[in-house]
Amino acid sequence: MLPSSLLHFSNKHKTDDSVRNYSTYIDTIEDTLRALSLLLPGRFEDSDLCSQAVLAGLNLVSLYHTKFLVQKSNFLKLKNDSKSTETFNDQFLQNNNSNWSCKTASSVLSVISYTEVVIEMLLNKKVSKSSKWKFIASLEGLKGILRLVIFYGTKRKMILHPTHFIRNVDPVSLKITQDEKHELTSIDPRTGTALSATYDSGWINSNQNNNRGGWAHLSELLWIVRPFIYALMIFLRQRNAKTNELIRLKAKIDDEDKENDEEEDESIEKDDEGSWKPWFVSLIIDMASRIARHMHPMSPLEQDESRRRDYLFIYYLFRGPLYLKFTRIVLDRFCNATEHRPLVSIITAAINDYRPFWEDSYFYTAGS
């Protein structure tokens, strides 16, 4: 049962002592949810959906807790009139405090990024593939619009990840920590790399006037529209395939067709991405964006973001035809060869437990 202080936050956390009491529960709540999300996959039917729902809840709770801790830490810093090195969070505040549209777009984008996987898993159970890809393309379009709002609202600065505060505050002391803990909530969910929380003030200042122009402007626009183009191409392919299937079924309905339909229903999501055309178009856009990005000088903050985007190229191994024709075969052979071997079988079991996530979900390897 949750402590009563959590159930009456607005009434009992008006003093510094009550705020500190609340902050001490933060690690306990998040650690409990995190452990639950790690233990659930592969344990029972729909356990993957339950695990992802818990993880989405954890991310949203962590998002609120991080904002709460950072704001309280900044209040105490101003109250004590202490000067410290400017951080990523300070830069985030500068970009968003004076711009309501950027602040709103950043918040909506953060919520979408933490809930899109569980929404897609629900759609897999409720709607057809064509309808699901229509939703995915629409959501990628919405994310693109939100990124454009942030990009132009911050005077064409590179969009840094994440689009929310970074946890760099000790929940107990409410002081900014220099030694960051690499927890799941402070790790980039798409690359597995730690989200850096503190930067030298010179880096921040150099980034403030580093607007994206020329090739860098083109690079950012390409990076923003790439996920939408990829999802849209797959949606159009799915719609055409559905139309052709209806024509075929009207012309010939027999037992063989029914068996084929049942096999299609059991296919994984990556079969929907089986065409090379969207895969190659997406790769070309990403490569063009990378080349154009490196034709413009970047601040250290932007260099970190550029490296993060470079890591996302790994996800092409888990997309579409390359996954079906290469990566999945390699994983199958590895799992079959090590399934009953000591120690290594632990890794094999973990891979098998988590394979449904990237096989049945587009957003898990979308890199968007």
Side-chain angles (χ1 to χ4, degrees), residues 41 48 318 323 327-328 330-332 334-336 338 344-359:
D48 298 335
F318 296 89
Y323 179 79
T327 310
R328 183 167 67 169
V330 173
L331 288 176
D332 286 339
F334 173 79
C335 292
N336 292 336
T338 60
V344 184
S345 61
I346 299 176
I347 300 176
T348 303
I351 292 176
N352 288 330
D353 285 343
Y354 282 89
R355 279 179 72 169
F357 285 116
W358 67 72
E359 286 190 346

Side-chain angles (χ1 to χ4, degrees), residues 110-315:
S110 297
V111 173
I112 290 176
S113 67
Y114 286 139
T115 57
E116 57 191 8
V117 174
V118 69
I119 293 175
E120 183 185 356
M121 294 177 75
L122 289 172
L123 290 176
N124 284 335
K125 297 179 177 295
K126 300 295 183 181
V127 301
S128 64
K129 292 181 179 180
S130 179
S131 299
K132 185 193 78 169
W133 279 104
K134 182 179 181 180
F135 171 82
I136 291 175
S138 301
L139 191 58
E140 289 291 11
L142 174 60
K143 289 162 65 176
I145 293 174
L146 293 173
R147 289 192 174 102
L148 287 174
V149 171
I150 297 173
F151 181 55
Y152 288 106
T154 56
K155 299 179 180 179
R156 296 184 300 175
K157 294 178 183 176
M158 177 184 278
I159 301 174
L160 303 179
H161 182 86
T163 56
H164 55 76
F165 287 116
I166 287 177
R167 178 77 62 85
N168 66 336
V169 180
D170 181 18
V172 178
S173 64
L174 295 178
K175 295 180 179 179
I176 295 178
T177 58
Q178 299 299 327
D179 297 328
E180 301 168 20
K181 294 191 298 180
H182 291 177
E183 300 175 349
L184 288 183
T185 51
S186 62
I187 289 181
D188 188 332
R190 307 197 188 282
T191 66
T193 57
L195 297 173
S196 182
T198 57
Y199 295 90
D200 182 76
S201 59
W203 296 5
I204 301 289
N205 294 332
S206 66
N207 183 53
Q208 289 177 354
N209 299 319
N210 201 7
N211 299 337
R212 315 298 286 174
W215 288 108
H217 189 185
L218 175 63
S219 168
E220 203 69 9
L221 293 179
L222 288 174
W223 177 78
I224 289 172
V225 302
R226 195 278 309 166
F228 172 68
I229 293 176
Y230 180 74
L232 180 63
M233 292 182 69
I234 296 178
F235 163 65
L236 295 177
R237 178 175 175 269
Q238 284 291 313
R239 189 177 63 177
N240 293 336
K242 184 178 180 180
T243 302
N244 294 334
E245 183 182 1
L246 290 175
I247 295 174
R248 179 176 60 84
L249 289 176
K250 289 180 180 179
K252 183 179 180 180
I253 301 178
D254 54 23
D255 294 338
E256 183 179 353
D257 291 328
K258 293 179 181 179
E259 292 176 0
N260 290 336
D261 291 340
E262 291 176 358
E263 291 178 359
E264 289 177 1
D265 290 338
E266 295 175 356
S267 63
I268 63 174
E269 182 270 339
K270 296 303 175 186
D271 292 326
D272 301 344
E273 304 177 47
S275 174
W276 283 103
K277 186 177 180 180
W279 190 89
F280 272 119
V281 170
S282 176
L283 180 61
I284 290 172
I285 294 176
D286 260 341
M287 289 297 297
S289 175
R290 185 185 187 279
I291 293 172
R293 185 167 65 245
H294 285 273
M295 296 177 69
H296 186 276
M298 292 182 286
S299 69
L301 273 174
E302 293 173 339
Q303 290 174 5
D304 284 349
E305 173 63 18
S306 179
R307 282 192 292 269
R308 186 193 74 86
R309 295 182 186 182
D310 290 343
Y311 290 142
L312 298 181
F313 279 97
I314 296 175
Y315 281 144

